[in-house]
Amino acid sequence: MKELLLLLLVVTKASSRSHSSWCEPGCNCQGDLKFTICSRALFTELPARVPPYTDLLDLSDNLISVIPEGSFNKNRKLRILLLQNNNISVVEDGGFSQLEFLQKLDLRWNRISTLTEGFSFGLAFLRELQLAHNRLTGLHSRSFLHLDGLQRLNLTGNSIRTIQVRSFSPMSSLRQLHLQDNRLTSLRSGIFSMLRSLEVLNLAGNRISKMETGVFKPLTSMSLLNLVNNQMSTVYFKTFLSIRTYSTHILLEENPWNCDCDLQRVFRKLQSIQRLFLDDYYNLTCEEPPVLKDYRLMDTELCLAETITVLIITITVVITVLAAILMGERSRKKKEKRRKHWPQQGELSEESDY
Ligand SMILES: *[C@@H]1O[C@H](CO)[C@@H](O)[C@H](O)[C@H]1NC(C)=O
Ligand SMILES: *[C@@H]1O[C@H](CO)[C@@H](O)[C@H](O)[C@H]1NC(C)=O
Ligand SMILES: *[C@@H]1O[C@H](CO)[C@@H](O)[C@H](O)[C@H]1NC(C)=O
């Protein structure tokens, strides 16, 4: 019995020793050391000991603030890396560069303010990048340079004001781009160039009031365009006409529409385009002019005044033309009458000449 107990003790000690030699205190290494869970461990830096064959490393809810260069060079097999809810403000160039098998990287709720080219070094197989709720203010043409395989990018809830032309163009496999709740005010054409695979573009909750007419043209796979809760007061027909897809749903609610005949006409023309679906057209409300505030755009007939004006102008023109013709006719008749007199005078003068 004593021997058995001793044996048990030795075994547990040995196993706990081997466990601890692979697994940092504060972490829980499970499933043949494939899952390393170090959530809420009060870490202020990355743990030194992570089992080398770990698939999933969960470091969420810690106080990590820096990702130094080459941090994961002993964990090249990682497929999922969770770093949400930390204090990360610095990702050194090449911080994730060893992670050639990484598919998902979650960096939500951190303090990242810039994405340098070095951020994406070596992440060619990354499929999903969560960067929501950081402090990004702008995206540069090299921010996502090495993310050729990315399919889903979530940038919700940053403070992005500027997007350089071609910022997203390295990501030709991207299918979802979430940019809601940022500070975009205008969309320049070229910012979405090369996004041939993009299916979902979420721009809700920005301050967009201006869009260059060609901005959505490169998005030939787009099935959902969300522009809810922006600052648009009007749209150009061409902007949406240039969307060359099989079918695209467009959401436009919660914008301060300036309801005039032009706007109504644009929407009527858009509705007649088979491939475009204005799903919330019936919910669009007017902000301007004041008399129409909170009225629904579809409930008003804004082109009536214009129609009447056009009618009046047409009638006026017709009357004028008719009058002119009549006057012309009358004066022709007068002339004819006069001509009947003139020849007699001519005869007379001829007579007097001879
Ligand atoms: C978070 O990082 C900042 C520096 O970026 C530091 O000043 C602050 O103390 C950190 N907060 C915590 C809770 O570690
Ligand atoms: C993007 O991030 C926000 C904030 O975390 C989240 O609510 C949303 O579901 C995410 N969307 C996708 C498609 O990942
Ligand atoms: C229109 O607004 C109503 C009430 O806010 C909402 O229930 C409905 O889902 C909206 N319809 C669309 C198509 O967004």
PDB file of all heavy atoms in Angstrom, residues 267-299:
ATOM      1  N   PHE A 267     -33.780  57.257 -57.224  1.00  0.00           N
ATOM      2  CA  PHE A 267     -34.227  56.011 -56.606  1.00  0.00           C
ATOM      3  C   PHE A 267     -35.170  55.221 -57.515  1.00  0.00           C
ATOM      4  O   PHE A 267     -35.121  54.009 -57.561  1.00  0.00           O
ATOM      5  CB  PHE A 267     -34.864  56.274 -55.242  1.00  0.00           C
ATOM      6  CG  PHE A 267     -33.842  56.351 -54.150  1.00  0.00           C
ATOM      7  CD1 PHE A 267     -33.557  57.544 -53.500  1.00  0.00           C
ATOM      8  CD2 PHE A 267     -33.123  55.225 -53.785  1.00  0.00           C
ATOM      9  CE1 PHE A 267     -32.599  57.617 -52.512  1.00  0.00           C
ATOM     10  CE2 PHE A 267     -32.157  55.277 -52.786  1.00  0.00           C
ATOM     11  CZ  PHE A 267     -31.897  56.471 -52.153  1.00  0.00           C
ATOM     12  N   ARG A 268     -36.027  55.940 -58.242  1.00  0.00           N
ATOM     13  CA  ARG A 268     -36.922  55.222 -59.148  1.00  0.00           C
ATOM     14  C   ARG A 268     -36.142  54.528 -60.246  1.00  0.00           C
ATOM     15  O   ARG A 268     -36.441  53.392 -60.605  1.00  0.00           O
ATOM     16  CB  ARG A 268     -37.950  56.186 -59.729  1.00  0.00           C
ATOM     17  CG  ARG A 268     -39.025  56.452 -58.706  1.00  0.00           C
ATOM     18  CD  ARG A 268     -40.080  57.403 -59.195  1.00  0.00           C
ATOM     19  NE  ARG A 268     -41.012  57.641 -58.104  1.00  0.00           N
ATOM     20  CZ  ARG A 268     -41.842  58.660 -58.041  1.00  0.00           C
ATOM     21  NH1 ARG A 268     -41.870  59.555 -59.016  1.00  0.00           N
ATOM     22  NH2 ARG A 268     -42.639  58.803 -57.000  1.00  0.00           N
ATOM     23  N   LYS A 269     -35.124  55.215 -60.723  1.00  0.00           N
ATOM     24  CA  LYS A 269     -34.301  54.593 -61.774  1.00  0.00           C
ATOM     25  C   LYS A 269     -33.537  53.394 -61.203  1.00  0.00           C
ATOM     26  O   LYS A 269     -33.420  52.358 -61.851  1.00  0.00           O
ATOM     27  CB  LYS A 269     -33.324  55.623 -62.368  1.00  0.00           C
ATOM     28  CG  LYS A 269     -33.984  56.549 -63.380  1.00  0.00           C
ATOM     29  CD  LYS A 269     -32.957  57.228 -64.264  1.00  0.00           C
ATOM     30  CE  LYS A 269     -32.298  58.388 -63.550  1.00  0.00           C
ATOM     31  NZ  LYS A 269     -31.305  59.097 -64.387  1.00  0.00           N
ATOM     32  N   LEU A 270     -33.030  53.558 -59.959  1.00  0.00           N
ATOM     33  CA  LEU A 270     -32.277  52.456 -59.342  1.00  0.00           C
ATOM     34  C   LEU A 270     -33.170  51.234 -59.140  1.00  0.00           C
ATOM     35  O   LEU A 270     -32.740  50.103 -59.327  1.00  0.00           O
ATOM     36  CB  LEU A 270     -31.689  52.892 -57.997  1.00  0.00           C
ATOM     37  CG  LEU A 270     -30.497  53.831 -58.078  1.00  0.00           C
ATOM     38  CD1 LEU A 270     -30.108  54.335 -56.691  1.00  0.00           C
ATOM     39  CD2 LEU A 270     -29.294  53.146 -58.724  1.00  0.00           C
ATOM     40  N   GLN A 271     -34.420  51.499 -58.765  1.00  0.00           N
ATOM     41  CA  GLN A 271     -35.330  50.376 -58.526  1.00  0.00           C
ATOM     42  C   GLN A 271     -35.651  49.604 -59.792  1.00  0.00           C
ATOM     43  O   GLN A 271     -36.036  48.444 -59.722  1.00  0.00           O
ATOM     44  CB  GLN A 271     -36.627  50.886 -57.917  1.00  0.00           C
ATOM     45  CG  GLN A 271     -36.482  51.114 -56.433  1.00  0.00           C
ATOM     46  CD  GLN A 271     -37.820  51.404 -55.814  1.00  0.00           C
ATOM     47  OE1 GLN A 271     -38.528  52.292 -56.288  1.00  0.00           O
ATOM     48  NE2 GLN A 271     -38.168  50.674 -54.795  1.00  0.00           N
ATOM     49  N   SER A 272     -35.465  50.260 -60.912  1.00  0.00           N
ATOM     50  CA  SER A 272     -35.770  49.562 -62.155  1.00  0.00           C
ATOM     51  C   SER A 272     -34.587  48.712 -62.631  1.00  0.00           C
ATOM     52  O   SER A 272     -34.703  47.987 -63.611  1.00  0.00           O
ATOM     53  CB  SER A 272     -36.175  50.564 -63.235  1.00  0.00           C
ATOM     54  OG  SER A 272     -35.056  51.326 -63.602  1.00  0.00           O
ATOM     55  N   ILE A 273     -33.467  48.795 -61.904  1.00  0.00           N
ATOM     56  CA  ILE A 273     -32.317  47.957 -62.287  1.00  0.00           C
ATOM     57  C   ILE A 273     -32.460  46.591 -61.620  1.00  0.00           C
ATOM     58  O   ILE A 273     -32.467  46.486 -60.394  1.00  0.00           O
ATOM     59  CB  ILE A 273     -30.988  48.624 -61.877  1.00  0.00           C
ATOM     60  CG1 ILE A 273     -30.857  49.974 -62.587  1.00  0.00           C
ATOM     61  CG2 ILE A 273     -29.807  47.739 -62.224  1.00  0.00           C
ATOM     62  CD1 ILE A 273     -29.638  50.743 -62.174  1.00  0.00           C
ATOM     63  N   GLN A 274     -32.585  45.576 -62.418  1.00  0.00           N
ATOM     64  CA  GLN A 274     -32.880  44.230 -61.932  1.00  0.00           C
ATOM     65  C   GLN A 274     -31.877  43.681 -60.921  1.00  0.00           C
ATOM     66  O   GLN A 274     -32.255  42.992 -59.993  1.00  0.00           O
ATOM     67  CB  GLN A 274     -32.925  43.268 -63.133  1.00  0.00           C
ATOM     68  CG  GLN A 274     -33.960  43.628 -64.166  1.00  0.00           C
ATOM     69  CD  GLN A 274     -35.287  42.964 -63.876  1.00  0.00           C
ATOM     70  OE1 GLN A 274     -35.321  41.800 -63.500  1.00  0.00           O
ATOM     71  NE2 GLN A 274     -36.368  43.693 -64.049  1.00  0.00           N
ATOM     72  N   ARG A 275     -30.612  43.991 -61.101  1.00  0.00           N
ATOM     73  CA  ARG A 275     -29.609  43.349 -60.248  1.00  0.00           C
ATOM     74  C   ARG A 275     -29.432  44.056 -58.901  1.00  0.00           C
ATOM     75  O   ARG A 275     -28.731  43.544 -58.031  1.00  0.00           O
ATOM     76  CB  ARG A 275     -28.268  43.269 -60.988  1.00  0.00           C
ATOM     77  CG  ARG A 275     -27.684  44.614 -61.353  1.00  0.00           C
ATOM     78  CD  ARG A 275     -26.355  44.477 -62.054  1.00  0.00           C
ATOM     79  NE  ARG A 275     -25.746  45.766 -62.251  1.00  0.00           N
ATOM     80  CZ  ARG A 275     -26.002  46.584 -63.262  1.00  0.00           C
ATOM     81  NH1 ARG A 275     -26.870  46.218 -64.182  1.00  0.00           N
ATOM     82  NH2 ARG A 275     -25.406  47.759 -63.349  1.00  0.00           N
ATOM     83  N   LEU A 276     -30.034  45.222 -58.719  1.00  0.00           N
ATOM     84  CA  LEU A 276     -29.881  45.947 -57.461  1.00  0.00           C
ATOM     85  C   LEU A 276     -31.144  45.842 -56.612  1.00  0.00           C
ATOM     86  O   LEU A 276     -32.254  45.988 -57.119  1.00  0.00           O
ATOM     87  CB  LEU A 276     -29.566  47.423 -57.736  1.00  0.00           C
ATOM     88  CG  LEU A 276     -28.306  47.711 -58.535  1.00  0.00           C
ATOM     89  CD1 LEU A 276     -28.115  49.214 -58.708  1.00  0.00           C
ATOM     90  CD2 LEU A 276     -27.069  47.096 -57.907  1.00  0.00           C
ATOM     91  N   PHE A 277     -30.955  45.589 -55.317  1.00  0.00           N
ATOM     92  CA  PHE A 277     -32.091  45.467 -54.404  1.00  0.00           C
ATOM     93  C   PHE A 277     -31.950  46.499 -53.291  1.00  0.00           C
ATOM     94  O   PHE A 277     -31.044  46.390 -52.466  1.00  0.00           O
ATOM     95  CB  PHE A 277     -32.141  44.056 -53.803  1.00  0.00           C
ATOM     96  CG  PHE A 277     -32.316  42.992 -54.850  1.00  0.00           C
ATOM     97  CD1 PHE A 277     -31.213  42.409 -55.451  1.00  0.00           C
ATOM     98  CD2 PHE A 277     -33.584  42.603 -55.256  1.00  0.00           C
ATOM     99  CE1 PHE A 277     -31.375  41.443 -56.438  1.00  0.00           C
ATOM    100  CE2 PHE A 277     -33.756  41.642 -56.234  1.00  0.00           C
ATOM    101  CZ  PHE A 277     -32.646  41.056 -56.836  1.00  0.00           C
ATOM    102  N   LEU A 278     -32.822  47.506 -53.313  1.00  0.00           N
ATOM    103  CA  LEU A 278     -32.778  48.537 -52.281  1.00  0.00           C
ATOM    104  C   LEU A 278     -33.701  48.079 -51.155  1.00  0.00           C
ATOM    105  O   LEU A 278     -34.851  48.479 -51.079  1.00  0.00           O
ATOM    106  CB  LEU A 278     -33.226  49.880 -52.861  1.00  0.00           C
ATOM    107  CG  LEU A 278     -32.463  50.352 -54.101  1.00  0.00           C
ATOM    108  CD1 LEU A 278     -33.011  51.677 -54.600  1.00  0.00           C
ATOM    109  CD2 LEU A 278     -30.966  50.476 -53.820  1.00  0.00           C
ATOM    110  N   ASP A 279     -33.179  47.199 -50.314  1.00  0.00           N
ATOM    111  CA  ASP A 279     -34.024  46.488 -49.348  1.00  0.00           C
ATOM    112  C   ASP A 279     -34.792  47.402 -48.402  1.00  0.00           C
ATOM    113  O   ASP A 279     -35.905  47.085 -48.011  1.00  0.00           O
ATOM    114  CB  ASP A 279     -33.173  45.520 -48.514  1.00  0.00           C
ATOM    115  CG  ASP A 279     -32.703  44.342 -49.347  1.00  0.00           C
ATOM    116  OD1 ASP A 279     -33.204  44.181 -50.480  1.00  0.00           O
ATOM    117  OD2 ASP A 279     -31.840  43.593 -48.868  1.00  0.00           O
ATOM    118  N   ASP A 280     -34.202  48.525 -48.018  1.00  0.00           N
ATOM    119  CA  ASP A 280     -34.891  49.376 -47.041  1.00  0.00           C
ATOM    120  C   ASP A 280     -35.377  50.691 -47.661  1.00  0.00           C
ATOM    121  O   ASP A 280     -35.595  51.664 -46.957  1.00  0.00           O
ATOM    122  CB  ASP A 280     -33.996  49.627 -45.818  1.00  0.00           C
ATOM    123  CG  ASP A 280     -32.663  50.250 -46.173  1.00  0.00           C
ATOM    124  OD1 ASP A 280     -32.455  50.604 -47.356  1.00  0.00           O
ATOM    125  OD2 ASP A 280     -31.817  50.381 -45.277  1.00  0.00           O
ATOM    126  N   TYR A 281     -35.602  50.669 -48.972  1.00  0.00           N
ATOM    127  CA  TYR A 281     -36.082  51.876 -49.650  1.00  0.00           C
ATOM    128  C   TYR A 281     -37.362  52.398 -48.989  1.00  0.00           C
ATOM    129  O   TYR A 281     -37.543  53.599 -48.813  1.00  0.00           O
ATOM    130  CB  TYR A 281     -36.329  51.591 -51.130  1.00  0.00           C
ATOM    131  CG  TYR A 281     -36.985  52.723 -51.872  1.00  0.00           C
ATOM    132  CD1 TYR A 281     -36.330  53.942 -52.013  1.00  0.00           C
ATOM    133  CD2 TYR A 281     -38.261  52.603 -52.412  1.00  0.00           C
ATOM    134  CE1 TYR A 281     -36.924  55.001 -52.671  1.00  0.00           C
ATOM    135  CE2 TYR A 281     -38.866  53.658 -53.072  1.00  0.00           C
ATOM    136  CZ  TYR A 281     -38.202  54.851 -53.196  1.00  0.00           C
ATOM    137  OH  TYR A 281     -38.796  55.896 -53.844  1.00  0.00           O
ATOM    138  N   TYR A 282     -38.233  51.485 -48.579  1.00  0.00           N
ATOM    139  CA  TYR A 282     -39.514  51.894 -47.992  1.00  0.00           C
ATOM    140  C   TYR A 282     -39.331  52.539 -46.623  1.00  0.00           C
ATOM    141  O   TYR A 282     -40.243  53.139 -46.098  1.00  0.00           O
ATOM    142  CB  TYR A 282     -40.456  50.685 -47.901  1.00  0.00           C
ATOM    143  CG  TYR A 282     -40.700  50.113 -49.258  1.00  0.00           C
ATOM    144  CD1 TYR A 282     -40.125  48.905 -49.647  1.00  0.00           C
ATOM    145  CD2 TYR A 282     -41.464  50.819 -50.196  1.00  0.00           C
ATOM    146  CE1 TYR A 282     -40.320  48.407 -50.929  1.00  0.00           C
ATOM    147  CE2 TYR A 282     -41.651  50.334 -51.467  1.00  0.00           C
ATOM    148  CZ  TYR A 282     -41.087  49.125 -51.839  1.00  0.00           C
ATOM    149  OH  TYR A 282     -41.270  48.659 -53.104  1.00  0.00           O
ATOM    150  N   ASN A 283     -38.160  52.417 -46.065  1.00  0.00           N
ATOM    151  CA  ASN A 283     -37.907  52.992 -44.744  1.00  0.00           C
ATOM    152  C   ASN A 283     -37.092  54.289 -44.787  1.00  0.00           C
ATOM    153  O   ASN A 283     -36.807  54.850 -43.743  1.00  0.00           O
ATOM    154  CB  ASN A 283     -37.139  51.985 -43.877  1.00  0.00           C
ATOM    155  CG  ASN A 283     -38.079  51.016 -43.176  1.00  0.00           C
ATOM    156  OD1 ASN A 283     -39.290  51.101 -43.317  1.00  0.00           O
ATOM    157  ND2 ASN A 283     -37.492  50.116 -42.413  1.00  0.00           N
ATOM    158  N   LEU A 284     -36.712  54.735 -45.966  1.00  0.00           N
ATOM    159  CA  LEU A 284     -35.873  55.938 -46.027  1.00  0.00           C
ATOM    160  C   LEU A 284     -36.704  57.169 -45.679  1.00  0.00           C
ATOM    161  O   LEU A 284     -37.780  57.383 -46.235  1.00  0.00           O
ATOM    162  CB  LEU A 284     -35.286  56.116 -47.428  1.00  0.00           C
ATOM    163  CG  LEU A 284     -34.451  54.956 -47.964  1.00  0.00           C
ATOM    164  CD1 LEU A 284     -33.766  55.360 -49.257  1.00  0.00           C
ATOM    165  CD2 LEU A 284     -33.425  54.492 -46.948  1.00  0.00           C
ATOM    166  N   THR A 285     -36.209  57.976 -44.756  1.00  0.00           N
ATOM    167  CA  THR A 285     -36.952  59.174 -44.344  1.00  0.00           C
ATOM    168  C   THR A 285     -36.167  60.437 -44.685  1.00  0.00           C
ATOM    169  O   THR A 285     -34.950  60.425 -44.770  1.00  0.00           O
ATOM    170  CB  THR A 285     -37.242  59.161 -42.833  1.00  0.00           C
ATOM    171  OG1 THR A 285     -36.014  58.940 -42.142  1.00  0.00           O
ATOM    172  CG2 THR A 285     -38.222  58.064 -42.473  1.00  0.00           C
ATOM    173  N   CYS A 286     -36.921  61.530 -44.828  1.00  0.00           N
ATOM    174  CA  CYS A 286     -36.326  62.802 -45.237  1.00  0.00           C
ATOM    175  C   CYS A 286     -35.820  63.574 -44.019  1.00  0.00           C
ATOM    176  O   CYS A 286     -36.431  63.541 -42.960  1.00  0.00           O
ATOM    177  CB  CYS A 286     -37.352  63.673 -45.949  1.00  0.00           C
ATOM    178  SG  CYS A 286     -38.212  62.828 -47.293  1.00  0.00           S
ATOM    179  N   GLU A 287     -34.738  64.283 -44.217  1.00  0.00           N
ATOM    180  CA  GLU A 287     -34.241  65.228 -43.213  1.00  0.00           C
ATOM    181  C   GLU A 287     -34.536  66.649 -43.704  1.00  0.00           C
ATOM    182  O   GLU A 287     -34.946  67.515 -42.958  1.00  0.00           O
ATOM    183  CB  GLU A 287     -32.729  65.003 -43.036  1.00  0.00           C
ATOM    184  CG  GLU A 287     -32.055  65.908 -42.040  1.00  0.00           C
ATOM    185  CD  GLU A 287     -32.420  65.582 -40.591  1.00  0.00           C
ATOM    186  OE1 GLU A 287     -32.759  64.410 -40.340  1.00  0.00           O
ATOM    187  OE2 GLU A 287     -32.370  66.489 -39.751  1.00  0.00           O
ATOM    188  N   GLU A 288     -34.314  66.858 -44.983  1.00  0.00           N
ATOM    189  CA  GLU A 288     -34.578  68.133 -45.643  1.00  0.00           C
ATOM    190  C   GLU A 288     -35.585  67.896 -46.766  1.00  0.00           C
ATOM    191  O   GLU A 288     -35.662  66.778 -47.279  1.00  0.00           O
ATOM    192  CB  GLU A 288     -33.279  68.676 -46.249  1.00  0.00           C
ATOM    193  CG  GLU A 288     -32.218  69.060 -45.237  1.00  0.00           C
ATOM    194  CD  GLU A 288     -32.490  70.419 -44.580  1.00  0.00           C
ATOM    195  OE1 GLU A 288     -33.156  71.251 -45.225  1.00  0.00           O
ATOM    196  OE2 GLU A 288     -32.047  70.607 -43.459  1.00  0.00           O
ATOM    197  N   PRO A 289     -36.308  68.881 -47.232  1.00  0.00           N
ATOM    198  CA  PRO A 289     -36.528  70.201 -46.617  1.00  0.00           C
ATOM    199  C   PRO A 289     -37.339  70.054 -45.325  1.00  0.00           C
ATOM    200  O   PRO A 289     -37.980  69.028 -45.130  1.00  0.00           O
ATOM    201  CB  PRO A 289     -37.334  70.928 -47.703  1.00  0.00           C
ATOM    202  CG  PRO A 289     -38.034  69.837 -48.440  1.00  0.00           C
ATOM    203  CD  PRO A 289     -37.114  68.674 -48.430  1.00  0.00           C
ATOM    204  N   PRO A 290     -37.318  71.110 -44.475  1.00  0.00           N
ATOM    205  CA  PRO A 290     -37.967  71.022 -43.161  1.00  0.00           C
ATOM    206  C   PRO A 290     -39.419  70.546 -43.209  1.00  0.00           C
ATOM    207  O   PRO A 290     -39.838  69.781 -42.344  1.00  0.00           O
ATOM    208  CB  PRO A 290     -37.880  72.456 -42.626  1.00  0.00           C
ATOM    209  CG  PRO A 290     -36.690  73.029 -43.311  1.00  0.00           C
ATOM    210  CD  PRO A 290     -36.626  72.394 -44.672  1.00  0.00           C
ATOM    211  N   VAL A 291     -40.171  70.959 -44.240  1.00  0.00           N
ATOM    212  CA  VAL A 291     -41.586  70.542 -44.290  1.00  0.00           C
ATOM    213  C   VAL A 291     -41.744  69.039 -44.469  1.00  0.00           C
ATOM    214  O   VAL A 291     -42.803  68.487 -44.168  1.00  0.00           O
ATOM    215  CB  VAL A 291     -42.386  71.240 -45.423  1.00  0.00           C
ATOM    216  CG1 VAL A 291     -42.655  72.671 -45.064  1.00  0.00           C
ATOM    217  CG2 VAL A 291     -41.688  71.102 -46.760  1.00  0.00           C
ATOM    218  N   LEU A 292     -40.710  68.390 -44.963  1.00  0.00           N
ATOM    219  CA  LEU A 292     -40.823  66.949 -45.206  1.00  0.00           C
ATOM    220  C   LEU A 292     -40.089  66.118 -44.159  1.00  0.00           C
ATOM    221  O   LEU A 292     -40.005  64.898 -44.278  1.00  0.00           O
ATOM    222  CB  LEU A 292     -40.267  66.610 -46.599  1.00  0.00           C
ATOM    223  CG  LEU A 292     -41.103  67.072 -47.789  1.00  0.00           C
ATOM    224  CD1 LEU A 292     -40.404  66.715 -49.091  1.00  0.00           C
ATOM    225  CD2 LEU A 292     -42.488  66.432 -47.749  1.00  0.00           C
ATOM    226  N   LYS A 293     -39.562  66.781 -43.130  1.00  0.00           N
ATOM    227  CA  LYS A 293     -38.783  66.057 -42.119  1.00  0.00           C
ATOM    228  C   LYS A 293     -39.575  64.874 -41.564  1.00  0.00           C
ATOM    229  O   LYS A 293     -40.746  65.010 -41.223  1.00  0.00           O
ATOM    230  CB  LYS A 293     -38.387  67.004 -40.994  1.00  0.00           C
ATOM    231  CG  LYS A 293     -37.290  66.442 -40.111  1.00  0.00           C
ATOM    232  CD  LYS A 293     -36.756  67.513 -39.167  1.00  0.00           C
ATOM    233  CE  LYS A 293     -36.123  66.919 -37.932  1.00  0.00           C
ATOM    234  NZ  LYS A 293     -34.995  66.034 -38.200  1.00  0.00           N
ATOM    235  N   ASP A 294     -38.888  63.724 -41.534  1.00  0.00           N
ATOM    236  CA  ASP A 294     -39.440  62.462 -41.024  1.00  0.00           C
ATOM    237  C   ASP A 294     -40.503  61.809 -41.919  1.00  0.00           C
ATOM    238  O   ASP A 294     -41.010  60.757 -41.588  1.00  0.00           O
ATOM    239  CB  ASP A 294     -39.986  62.617 -39.594  1.00  0.00           C
ATOM    240  CG  ASP A 294     -38.887  63.021 -38.627  1.00  0.00           C
ATOM    241  OD1 ASP A 294     -37.720  62.644 -38.889  1.00  0.00           O
ATOM    242  OD2 ASP A 294     -39.173  63.724 -37.643  1.00  0.00           O
ATOM    243  N   TYR A 295     -40.818  62.455 -43.042  1.00  0.00           N
ATOM    244  CA  TYR A 295     -41.679  61.787 -44.015  1.00  0.00           C
ATOM    245  C   TYR A 295     -40.877  60.713 -44.737  1.00  0.00           C
ATOM    246  O   TYR A 295     -39.670  60.830 -44.882  1.00  0.00           O
ATOM    247  CB  TYR A 295     -42.209  62.789 -45.050  1.00  0.00           C
ATOM    248  CG  TYR A 295     -43.457  63.507 -44.613  1.00  0.00           C
ATOM    249  CD1 TYR A 295     -43.379  64.589 -43.731  1.00  0.00           C
ATOM    250  CD2 TYR A 295     -44.705  63.112 -45.090  1.00  0.00           C
ATOM    251  CE1 TYR A 295     -44.519  65.251 -43.315  1.00  0.00           C
ATOM    252  CE2 TYR A 295     -45.853  63.787 -44.681  1.00  0.00           C
ATOM    253  CZ  TYR A 295     -45.757  64.853 -43.795  1.00  0.00           C
ATOM    254  OH  TYR A 295     -46.889  65.493 -43.409  1.00  0.00           O
ATOM    255  N   ARG A 296     -41.590  59.696 -45.197  1.00  0.00           N
ATOM    256  CA  ARG A 296     -40.874  58.685 -45.973  1.00  0.00           C
ATOM    257  C   ARG A 296     -40.743  59.148 -47.421  1.00  0.00           C
ATOM    258  O   ARG A 296     -41.709  59.669 -47.987  1.00  0.00           O
ATOM    259  CB  ARG A 296     -41.602  57.346 -45.903  1.00  0.00           C
ATOM    260  CG  ARG A 296     -41.537  56.765 -44.503  1.00  0.00           C
ATOM    261  CD  ARG A 296     -41.865  55.303 -44.503  1.00  0.00           C
ATOM    262  NE  ARG A 296     -43.232  55.060 -44.974  1.00  0.00           N
ATOM    263  CZ  ARG A 296     -43.749  53.830 -45.078  1.00  0.00           C
ATOM    264  NH1 ARG A 296     -43.024  52.783 -44.765  1.00  0.00           N
ATOM    265  NH2 ARG A 296     -44.977  53.665 -45.491  1.00  0.00           N
ATOM    266  N   LEU A 297     -39.580  58.913 -47.969  1.00  0.00           N
ATOM    267  CA  LEU A 297     -39.302  59.360 -49.333  1.00  0.00           C
ATOM    268  C   LEU A 297     -40.335  58.818 -50.316  1.00  0.00           C
ATOM    269  O   LEU A 297     -40.788  59.521 -51.210  1.00  0.00           O
ATOM    270  CB  LEU A 297     -37.886  58.922 -49.738  1.00  0.00           C
ATOM    271  CG  LEU A 297     -37.441  59.216 -51.168  1.00  0.00           C
ATOM    272  CD1 LEU A 297     -37.448  60.716 -51.446  1.00  0.00           C
ATOM    273  CD2 LEU A 297     -36.055  58.663 -51.417  1.00  0.00           C
ATOM    274  N   MET A 298     -40.734  57.563 -50.108  1.00  0.00           N
ATOM    275  CA  MET A 298     -41.650  56.951 -51.075  1.00  0.00           C
ATOM    276  C   MET A 298     -43.081  57.451 -50.940  1.00  0.00           C
ATOM    277  O   MET A 298     -43.886  57.286 -51.841  1.00  0.00           O
ATOM    278  CB  MET A 298     -41.611  55.438 -50.962  1.00  0.00           C
ATOM    279  CG  MET A 298     -42.180  54.932 -49.672  1.00  0.00           C
ATOM    280  SD  MET A 298     -42.744  53.233 -49.763  1.00  0.00           S
ATOM    281  CE  MET A 298     -43.987  53.309 -50.990  1.00  0.00           C
ATOM    282  N   ASP A 299     -43.414  58.075 -49.789  1.00  0.00           N
ATOM    283  CA  ASP A 299     -44.779  58.547 -49.565  1.00  0.00           C
ATOM    284  C   ASP A 299     -45.065  59.904 -50.195  1.00  0.00           C
ATOM    285  O   ASP A 299     -46.186  60.383 -50.154  1.00  0.00           O
ATOM    286  CB  ASP A 299     -45.066  58.657 -48.062  1.00  0.00           C
ATOM    287  CG  ASP A 299     -45.248  57.283 -47.440  1.00  0.00           C
ATOM    288  OD1 ASP A 299     -45.424  56.325 -48.209  1.00  0.00           O
ATOM    289  OD2 ASP A 299     -45.202  57.185 -46.208  1.00  0.00           O
TER     290      ASP A 299
END
